[in-house]
Amino acid sequence: MRITKFISVLVICLLFGAGNLFAQGNFITNVNGRTHQSLNGKWKYILDQYETGQIGFSPLYKNSKAKSKSDRVEYSFDNAQTLWVPGSWNSQKEELYYYEGSVWFRKTFDYQPKHKNSRIFIYVGAANYKTTFSFNGKKLGVHEGGFTPFSFEVTDLLKKQDNFLILGVSNRREKDYIPAMVTDWYNHGGITRDVKIVEVPQTYIDDYTLVLQKESLNRKTRVVKGSVQLAGNDYPDKAKVEIKELGVVAEVSINKEGRGEFAFSSKKMSLWSPENPKLYDVKLIAGDDELTDRIGFRTVETEGKEILLNGKPVFLRGVSIHDENPVRRDRAHSMDDAKLLLGWAKEMGCNFARLAHYPHQENIVRLADEMGILLWEELPLYWGIDWKNEEVLKKAKVQYSELVRRDKNRAATIIWSIANETVPGEARNHFLREVASQVRSLDSTRLLSAACKKDGWEDGLAGDNYKVSDPIAEVFDIVSFNEYQGWYGGSPETCRNKRFTIEYNKPVIISEFGGGAIEGFHADKETRWSEEYQEYMYQENLAMFDKIEGVVGLTPWILVDFMTPLRQLPNVQDGWNRKGLVSESGAKKKAFYIMQNYYKKKKEEYK
């Protein structure tokens, strides 16, 4: 097997040692821009509840078969049942609804490379949570993390016929995982995103970055700087970046490490924004490799208590979203799933979405680029993280490097968030400062935040005067906090007496607020779970937030009702968090229209 040179892998090896070279970080980017073939569809599967990786002392990744009538093989992929990939096993088989453990998946296929001397990789968009990867009977590595991509090179193992890919996927929860033991969302297990065969030349474009320079924003000629990283053993002296629409042809000198930096200028460039989500076809050429991506150019920064997009103040009319299709009751994985979710957000008047609480599928990020919806992306550093465990910190850094590697060229993504609802303390503060530093080192062009708790949260929200003073906010560009007045503390009218002091001279986002309602249940506004109660609570919350100085964005919790085993109230929740503005069947609740009208006013205010 060739060892591919990836920037992210090299960085990870320097930080953590080279022991897991094939385990994390080294995935092919922009797979849809390369020669590829889908391996989606029906896969055979075998349960491995005890997570031994074997049945009857025979390793499952070997795909063993009896060769004579006296051979003992105690499993059979050939005669096994099937599951659809992508998709969670929980949603496809009633008996697997609450199953947490390992499932081994097998896909057989024939393959003839489309080009001579190609290198062949198998790319997995995500599998939750820990995946053992094997191909044609050889174990190639392990990937940890349920929401980021990974790929392995199989060039030297590929056959024209009868290839078998076996992935052992475990969704078991552990204290040293990210997330840890408890979450308020459904633990969808399985291969939850696309699987593809990807072909690249012997030396190929591994990574690239293009960034509009802020100092050129108000000039007639705008300047973009960027870099290209090649992977392989024989680097060309030159590479090229072309944007035909702008008349740009930039030559890139490649050094002995396969890296090159470039800059170009344009007088015709149209800036990307929610009102004008302009994307350009950017072509990168290096030796035998040619890759095209659609990229928008914009700047984002803060000034005092404002967020500036392309140098102008913006109000983030947002909503929080889980990466789940409620109609299919499964993890979202397709462009149609993305269109469903962002379509509802757009109808509500959103120009912003918080992709909670983990990296979402790449389709929704690319669709946001097309639709003009700004994004907050985050890692599930959530309840119960083992802050004192250095191995967990290493995992967090690796998983964030994977997210940044995937989405750093998306204009829509403006905020990297590193945590949600975590309690301040020495170990936690150190951990998050380390992660913040890591993210800054990977991408200094975007804003940094986290969904914090306000002071008093742990005391039952007592009193009327609250402070937002989490010490970790010192390292952020934006102060964000969750507030559930009227749902977890007091009745909606108590919002009128609440006062908030923000300890930092920074923009503020209310990253969560809201409460539950059963779609179609109508009563007076004091009856909990009714649409009228939720509507009333939203009205009072919005009036409360309007009084807080520096609020430049809202992401109410949440766009759609979502699955979670934490919510079991019979005939009300039944395994669903009911805080959605849209029900799991797609019906809009009354509070949806409260937000829609509020955002209409905000849009006029920020014209």
Side-chain angles (χ1 to χ4, degrees):
M1 293 294 293
R2 300 176 180 87
I3 297 180
T4 306
K5 296 179 180 178
F6 291 102
I7 295 177
S8 58
V9 173
L10 291 174
V11 171
I12 290 162
C13 289
L14 289 171
L15 287 171
F16 312 139
N20 287 330
L21 182 59
F22 285 110
Q24 303 285 157
N26 58 331
F27 63 90
I28 297 288
T29 60
N30 190 14
V31 292
N32 288 331
R34 305 179 190 267
T35 300
H36 67 277
Q37 177 178 306
S38 174
L39 290 178
N40 294 348
K42 287 186 175 182
W43 290 46
K44 298 284 190 173
Y45 78 94
I46 293 173
L47 294 184
D48 178 21
Q49 187 171 6
Y50 294 148
E51 301 197 315
T52 63
Q54 58 184 12
I55 301 292
F57 305 104
S58 298
L60 286 161
Y61 75 89
K62 291 288 189 181
N63 193 32
S64 300
K65 300 179 184 183
K67 296 178 181 178
S68 71
K69 63 183 180 181
S70 60
D71 283 351
R72 179 188 57 81
V73 178
E74 297 184 38
Y75 69 85
S76 171
F77 275 110
D78 289 343
N79 297 319
Q81 296 182 27
T82 60
L83 287 166
W84 287 99
V85 169
S88 75
W89 61 63
N90 317 80
S91 66
Q92 297 183 56
K93 302 280 186 177
E94 187 176 354
E95 64 271 23
L96 299 179
Y97 190 76
Y98 285 117
Y99 178 72
E100 292 184 320
S102 287
V103 173
W104 291 75
F105 295 83
R106 190 197 72 178
K107 183 71 170 181
T108 57
F109 60 93
D110 302 333
Y111 190 75
Q112 180 67 45
K114 308 297 188 295
H115 307 286
K116 276 188 176 182
N117 299 317
S118 292
R119 297 173 65 174
I120 312 298
F121 290 79
I122 291 179
Y123 169 92
V124 181
N128 189 36
Y129 167 82
K130 195 170 187 175
T131 303
T132 301
F133 186 106
S134 66
F135 186 72
N136 285 342
K138 184 175 179 62
K139 191 182 293 184
L140 300 184
V142 175
H143 179 267
E144 183 171 334
F147 307 99
T148 48
F150 55 96
S151 60
F152 291 85
E153 185 170 12
V154 298
T155 307
D156 297 337
L157 298 173
L158 186 71
K159 302 180 294 184
K160 289 183 179 180
Q161 294 180 312
D162 302 323
N163 295 287
F164 60 93
L165 170 63
I166 294 179
L167 304 182
V169 184
S170 171
N171 72 334
R172 223 168 92 179
R173 292 166 292 115
E174 298 288 354
K175 287 179 65 177
D176 62 347
Y177 284 0
I178 302 172
M181 294 298 291
V182 180
T183 68
D184 191 9
W185 65 83
Y186 198 84
N187 186 22
H188 293 281
I191 306 169
T192 54
R193 295 178 189 160
D194 294 336
V195 182
K196 297 178 180 181
I197 307 173
V198 184
E199 279 192 48
V200 296
Q202 287 293 310
T203 296
Y204 65 94
I205 300 163
D206 169 52
D207 198 12
Y208 53 94
T209 306
L210 288 86
V211 178
L212 175 63
Q213 301 303 291
K214 292 175 186 176
E215 59 268 22
S216 70
L217 187 62
N218 296 315
R219 300 175 187 170
K220 290 183 180 179
T221 300
R222 292 179 174 129
V223 177
V224 170
K225 292 184 179 180
S227 64
V228 175
Q229 176 68 42
L230 308 184
N233 297 314
D234 186 16
Y235 303 129
D237 294 330
K238 302 288 184 182
K240 197 161 53 174
V241 178
E242 297 179 353
I243 306 178
K244 187 175 181 180
E245 189 175 347
L246 295 177
V248 167
V249 179
E251 192 174 78
V252 188
S253 295
I254 302 298
N255 64 21
K256 63 181 181 180
E257 283 79 36
R259 180 177 172 81
E261 296 182 350
F262 60 88
F264 62 82
S265 59
S266 173
K267 294 181 179 180
K268 301 189 294 183
M269 182 182 295
S270 180
L271 299 180
W272 186 99
S273 70
E275 297 73 31
N276 177 48
K278 175 62 180 174
L279 301 175
Y280 291 96
D281 290 326
V282 178
K283 182 184 291 186
L284 299 100
I285 304 166
D288 295 328
D289 200 13
E290 186 175 300
L291 184 62
T292 299
D293 202 350
R294 288 177 56 75
I295 296 176
F297 299 103
R298 55 98 189 103
T299 65
V300 64
E301 58 192 315
T302 63
E303 187 176 276
K305 291 183 177 291
E306 291 183 322
I307 295 175
L308 305 181
L309 184 71
N310 297 326
K312 299 177 181 178
V314 61
F315 188 89
L316 302 177
R317 310 186 306 271
V319 70
S320 297
I321 301 176
H322 263 301
D323 196 30
E324 188 175 84
N325 183 324
V327 180
R328 287 193 296 102
R329 302 189 176 198
D330 199 359
R331 181 69 67 214
H333 61 74
S334 68
M335 188 60 78
D336 284 342
D337 291 340
K339 288 177 180 177
L340 178 71
L341 296 170
L342 291 189
W344 282 328
K346 198 78 170 178
E347 184 181 349
M348 199 168 77
C350 293
N351 65 358
F352 179 58
R354 178 189 178 198
L355 303 185
H357 284 298
Y358 41 77
H360 285 217
Q361 61 155 329
E362 187 174 357
N363 284 321
I364 200 169
V365 184
R366 287 188 172 270
L367 182 62
D369 257 9
E370 300 278 352
M371 293 178 64
I373 296 179
L374 298 159
L375 295 179
W376 155 317
E377 298 196 63
E378 68 185 72
L379 202 68
L381 292 170
Y382 190 79
W383 306 341
I385 294 293
D386 186 356
W387 304 117
K388 296 180 180 179
N389 189 327
E390 285 295 316
E391 291 303 312
V392 177
L393 176 58
K394 290 177 184 178
K395 292 175 186 180
K397 290 180 177 181
V398 171
Q399 289 179 32
Y400 226 118
S401 75
E402 292 170 335
L403 174 59
V404 173
R405 177 177 169 87
R406 191 192 74 176
D407 291 343
K408 64 182 175 180
N409 287 307
R410 305 282 69 82
T413 300
I414 61 167
I415 297 171
W416 299 124
S417 172
I418 62 171
N420 177 76
E421 291 181 358
T422 59
V423 180
E426 185 177 347
R428 174 273 207 171
N429 296 347
H430 167 75
F431 187 112
L432 292 186
R433 286 178 187 274
E434 286 285 309
V435 175
S437 178
Q438 164 81 352
V439 176
R440 294 274 196 208
S441 72
L442 295 169
D443 179 13
S444 62
T445 70
R446 288 175 172 81
L447 306 177
L448 201 61
S449 193
C452 299
K453 296 181 178 183
K454 68 178 185 298
D455 295 2
W457 181 292
E458 300 300 325
D459 301 321
L461 306 179
D464 289 335
N465 297 306
Y466 295 132
K467 282 197 308 181
V468 179
S469 59
D470 191 324
I472 195 63
E474 293 173 0
V475 304
F476 296 152
D477 301 294
I478 301 167
V479 177
S480 305
F481 69 96
N482 299 348
E483 168 54 59
Y484 281 99
Q485 189 65 34
W487 187 252
Y488 291 127
S491 54
E493 65 271 13
T494 61
C495 293
R496 301 168 193 173
N497 302 320
K498 303 302 176 184
R499 299 292 180 270
F500 293 81
T501 300
I502 312 298
E503 294 285 284
Y504 304 97
N505 183 37
K506 298 181 180 185
V508 176
I509 293 176
I510 312 300
S511 39
E512 290 182 27
F513 67 96
I518 305 170
E519 182 272 320
F521 172 48
H522 296 284
D524 59 62
K525 66 182 183 180
E526 296 177 354
T527 300
R528 196 174 287 261
W529 303 111
S530 70
E531 287 195 38
E532 286 72 18
Y533 186 98
Q534 187 188 47
E535 176 187 44
Y536 178 40
M537 185 172 51
Y538 265 77
Q539 291 168 334
E540 294 291 344
N541 270 257
L542 292 173
M544 177 176 65
F545 299 142
D546 281 341
K547 298 174 186 175
I548 302 175
E549 183 185 3
V551 172
V552 295
L554 307 172
T555 51
W557 190 262
I558 186 170
L559 179 65
V560 195
D561 290 352
F562 61 94
M563 301 164 64
T564 168
L566 277 189
R567 312 291 176 163
Q568 294 290 346
L569 183 61
N571 303 314
V572 175
Q573 295 169 314
D574 299 316
W576 292 82
N577 188 312
R578 296 296 183 189
K579 294 187 183 72
L581 295 162
V582 180
S583 76
E584 75 271 26
S585 65
K588 298 172 186 68
K589 304 175 190 178
K590 295 180 77 173
F592 178 95
Y593 300 102
I594 296 298
M595 289 308 307
Q596 187 182 64
N597 290 331
Y598 183 81
Y599 283 159
K600 282 180 183 176
K601 294 174 184 175
K602 282 296 180 184
K603 186 176 182 180
E604 288 297 314
E605 185 181 332
Y606 276 78
K607 266 189 175 180

